[in-house]
Amino acid sequence: MTPTPGGGGIRLLDLGAGWPRNAAGPATAMSDLVVPAAEAQDREPDETGRQTPRALRRARRRQAQEEAAEQRYLRRLARANRDDSVPHRGSYTLGGGRVAALDPPTLWRATTVQACGLWPFASGSGAPMTGIPLGQHINTGATVCGDPLNWFTRARYISNPSLFMLGMPGLGKSTLINRMLIGLSAQGVVPLVLGDLKPDYADTVRALGGQVISIARGVGGLNILDPGAMGMAAARIGGQAGQALAAETHGRVLNMVAALLTIVRGVPITDHEQSVLSACLRHLREHTPQGQTFRLPQLLNVLEEGPPRVRQVTLDRGQESRYRDAVDPLHRSLLGILDGPLGDTFASETSTRIDPDATAVCIDISRIGEADGQLTAAAMLAAWSDGLGTVAASHALADAGLAPRRWFFTVLDELWRPLRAASGIVDRIDALTRLNRSLGLADAKITHTLKDAEALGNEADKAKARGFVERAGMVACAGLPRAEMEELGRVVGLSRREIELVSSWSSPPGWAQDGGNEEPPGRGRFLIKVGGRPGIPIRVAITDTERHLHDTNTRWIANGEAERMMAERAAVVRAVTGGDLPGPGVPVPDQGVQQHHGPGHR
């Protein structure tokens, strides 16, 4: 230490005098001890080899923070990987498998022989492939096949060969049924359209080489007392089986006459009057030569004459007055048929009988006026009686070994109209839906909504009509309002997504900005439900031949185009009947005409 100038002593700052700056360095000159930086000194072990308390607290705090962060990450990862939160392209989190958008690959379909070299990269789509090709699966694009007959006989998907279809007008319901009709006819099944109200299927039946029978005033009649195919089959079979079929024929004719009388009166006939009618029909059959038929005027003559067999049923006991009192109400009702609105159609000979060997049959009643409810109901009942009699005759001949076994497919379009025409039709359709397995036929019923059943006259008929949907093996839904789908879901078990999907198809088309034709979003789209299985959404695309044969808007064709459209349709019918598809020689409507009548394809 040096004294300060003036004798004031030694200054502390003078201790390092003469040493260069930073000469000491990180180690001292005496012990070579390394001195750490000041900020690192509290993290270094002390002389005893332990960390200071401050360093321990910081280490514990860092470890707790790291563990908490890891737990948060694991919880976030588990939450992001749940089924209800993972996006269709993968999770957004780290390790979640997020992928970019990819173009869908081209879909190909092949047999196992053709695609065997692609295994294991080929996989099935899960869509049913048994039956008539209907369209493409909306989600996967796979071909969907199906119809009530093949799904009952071959695939065993359903236990009742029936189809019930609902949907708003103009969305393609009858177009889908028309495709089933064409496909089943190609498989040897006989389509029966027993009462075509528009008509929707007459041109298709003609193109298939089938038989079209028209019933209307001044056009064609149907003798309801004619045993038809059942009478001819009973005579051909003979023996005990022939007698049983003849007895069934008698009951079918008796029920048809009773149904006509019910339509005229508005109330059913009594059991006594039905016994009198049965006695009259037996008398006529016994006194009519073999091979000839009798008509309603002859039935009225028998009732007027009163042979002993008929009088015995009335319990007249030899008194003319008692007999007249018993038969006069029935006599008046029969006169009402002959001289009323039904006489011209059902009192004459049958204009055209159903051919049991026809490839398809359509009974066209479209020329009957919309306001003529009595004649419509009578024509529907007569058509169903004659058609189902032909089915029974075909099976009886097959059982006897006299004809090959044939299957049938019946179509009842616009179900709401015959249901409201007469209560007897409800009973007949109800019996058909319960016995069609034993009758050897499949059926398809088409209507708009379930509310059509609510418009029937009494509660018994309403309950029977609601049972049509419950017993149907297949249910096909076109576009329907949400309220209607909610009600239908309680019957067939629709999921929330299925209800939303079908409800979206009932939306109207958009407003076209360029003056073109906007298609409704639900046209050609259907949801097929079978029991508790998930629904199959399909898209139906019709061919040019189907478009020509099935146009439900023919009345809306502009002037000057009707003749050309009829010529084109006739050309298509000739081409299909001859086995050729429409080629260059067959005119195809231009784009303007297609846009005009496109909305009518149902």
Side-chain angles (χ1 to χ4, degrees):
M1 301 177 63
T2 58
T4 58
I10 300 174
R11 295 182 307 173
L12 295 177
L13 296 180
D14 294 337
L15 293 176
W19 292 89
R21 189 178 296 274
N22 296 328
T28 64
M30 295 184 293
S31 61
D32 294 333
L33 180 65
V34 177
V35 180
E39 62 271 11
Q41 291 180 6
D42 57 348
R43 295 196 296 270
E44 290 296 323
D46 55 8
E47 296 81 8
T48 62
R50 299 178 181 177
Q51 288 186 336
T52 62
R54 182 180 180 185
L56 292 175
R57 288 195 300 270
R58 289 188 177 182
R60 286 194 296 268
R61 188 162 50 248
R62 283 197 305 272
Q63 184 177 2
Q65 292 174 353
E66 292 175 357
E67 291 178 354
E70 184 177 2
Q71 292 297 327
R72 288 195 301 270
Y73 171 76
L74 293 177
R75 288 195 298 268
R76 185 169 63 253
L77 187 63
R79 187 168 54 251
N81 287 332
R82 287 203 306 262
D83 293 340
D84 55 350
S85 60
V86 176
H88 66 283
R89 292 182 184 174
S91 175
Y92 291 93
T93 59
L94 294 176
R98 180 72 175 173
V99 297
L102 296 177
D103 293 334
T106 304
L107 298 179
W108 301 89
R109 183 177 293 277
T111 64
T112 54
V113 175
Q114 296 169 327
C116 60
L118 297 179
W119 188 89
F121 305 106
S123 62
S125 62
M129 291 294 293
T130 303
I132 307 305
L134 301 179
Q136 287 184 315
H137 198 288
I138 291 180
N139 298 329
T140 65
T143 302
V144 178
C145 303
D147 60 86
L149 195 145
N150 282 288
W151 280 16
F152 174 74
T153 57
R154 297 171 54 195
R156 304 291 183 180
Y157 293 151
I158 57 179
S159 58
N160 187 16
S162 62
L163 166 67
F164 198 93
M165 181 175 292
L166 302 99
M168 300 299 289
L171 296 183
K173 299 186 299 297
S174 56
T175 299
L176 182 62
I177 299 299
N178 196 67
R179 171 164 293 186
M180 291 185 184
L181 187 147
I182 295 173
L184 290 173
S185 177
Q187 294 182 358
V189 180
V190 181
L192 300 175
V193 185
L194 304 177
D196 198 353
L197 292 162
K198 290 201 171 179
D200 287 336
Y201 308 95
D203 290 329
T204 301
V205 171
R206 290 191 185 96
L208 296 174
Q211 183 184 27
V212 178
I213 302 173
S214 298
I215 297 179
R217 293 190 182 93
V219 178
L222 181 61
N223 180 15
I224 60 173
L225 304 183
D226 187 355
M230 291 186 69
M232 293 186 293
R236 183 179 176 185
I237 295 173
Q240 185 176 359
Q243 293 177 3
L245 188 59
E248 185 179 350
T249 304
H250 171 81
R252 188 178 295 274
V253 173
L254 176 61
N255 291 335
M256 187 62 222
V257 178
L260 276 186
L261 292 173
T262 301
I263 292 173
V264 173
R265 289 184 177 182
V267 294
I269 66 174
T270 63
D271 55 347
H272 169 68
E273 291 173 329
Q274 195 164 0
S275 300
V276 174
L277 279 177
S278 179
C280 293
L281 291 173
R282 293 185 186 278
H283 177 81
L284 281 174
R285 186 181 303 108
E286 293 172 357
H287 292 80
T288 301
Q290 186 72 23
Q292 296 184 11
T293 59
F294 45 89
R295 298 178 290 111
L296 280 178
Q298 297 174 3
L299 177 63
L300 194 62
N301 293 336
V302 171
L303 198 63
E304 175 70 25
E305 295 172 359
R309 183 169 191 170
V310 179
R311 289 180 179 269
Q312 183 180 3
V313 177
T314 61
L315 299 177
D316 65 336
R317 294 183 176 88
Q319 299 180 16
E320 183 67 20
S321 60
R322 289 176 59 90
Y323 175 75
R324 293 304 167 188
D325 292 340
V327 301
D328 278 351
L330 186 60
H331 198 165
R332 284 192 295 268
S333 297
L334 288 174
L335 285 175
I337 293 178
L338 291 175
D339 299 333
L342 308 181
D344 296 339
T345 306
F346 300 104
S348 59
E349 290 290 346
T350 301
S351 57
T352 306
R353 288 186 175 183
I354 294 180
D355 183 8
D357 298 325
T359 58
V361 177
C362 175
I363 299 181
D364 182 7
I365 61 174
S366 61
R367 300 189 184 184
I368 301 176
E370 292 285 340
D372 202 343
Q374 282 192 348
L375 185 56
T376 300
M380 290 291 297
L381 282 173
W384 277 90
S385 178
D386 200 10
L388 296 182
T390 304
V391 173
S394 175
H395 289 312
L397 291 173
D399 293 338
L402 301 176
R405 180 72 65 187
R406 307 181 75 185
W407 292 341
F408 300 86
F409 178 62
T410 60
V411 177
L412 181 56
D413 203 347
E414 302 294 340
L415 181 64
W416 62 270
R417 188 172 173 187
L419 287 181
R420 299 178 187 179
S423 59
I425 297 183
V426 179
D427 295 330
R428 187 169 295 275
I429 299 173
D430 180 65
L432 178 65
T433 59
R434 298 176 186 271
L435 302 175
N436 52 356
R437 289 184 300 171
S438 60
L439 293 176
L441 58 86
D443 68 274
K445 294 175 287 295
I446 311 172
T447 189
H448 295 149
T449 66
L450 289 179
K451 294 182 176 62
D452 294 335
E454 302 299 327
L456 299 181
N458 52 66
E459 291 298 327
D461 288 346
K462 292 179 182 179
K464 295 172 187 176
R466 286 192 292 265
F468 296 161
V469 184
E470 298 173 355
R471 291 190 301 273
M474 301 171 57
V475 177
C477 304
L480 285 171
R482 186 178 188 86
E484 182 68 22
M485 290 301 300
E486 295 283 354
E487 183 177 355
L488 182 63
R490 290 190 288 269
V491 180
V492 298
L494 297 172
S495 66
R496 182 60 52 186
R497 173 172 289 186
E498 292 171 346
I499 292 176
E500 294 175 354
L501 176 64
V502 180
S503 300
S504 66
W505 295 341
S506 62
S507 304
W511 302 103
Q513 300 297 326
D514 56 354
N517 178 27
E518 286 285 339
E519 289 282 338
R523 176 168 297 168
R525 289 168 170 80
F526 302 90
L527 179 72
I528 301 177
K529 286 287 293 184
V530 176
R533 292 186 175 95
I536 305 174
I538 65 172
R539 181 190 299 109
V540 179
I542 62 175
T543 62
D544 290 337
T545 302
E546 290 175 298
R547 183 176 292 107
H548 280 76
L549 293 177
H550 190 73
D551 186 0
T552 58
N553 267 359
T554 55
R555 297 290 178 88
W556 291 92
I557 298 176
N559 294 333
E561 296 288 336
E563 293 79 6
R564 186 171 69 88
M565 293 297 297
M566 292 300 294
E568 293 177 1
R569 179 172 295 186
V572 172
V573 170
R574 289 194 300 269
V576 174
T577 306
D580 300 325
L581 293 177
V586 179
V588 176
D590 54 23
Q591 187 67 21
V593 176
Q594 288 183 359
Q595 291 180 353
H596 182 73
H597 67 78
H601 299 307
R602 300 182 59 249

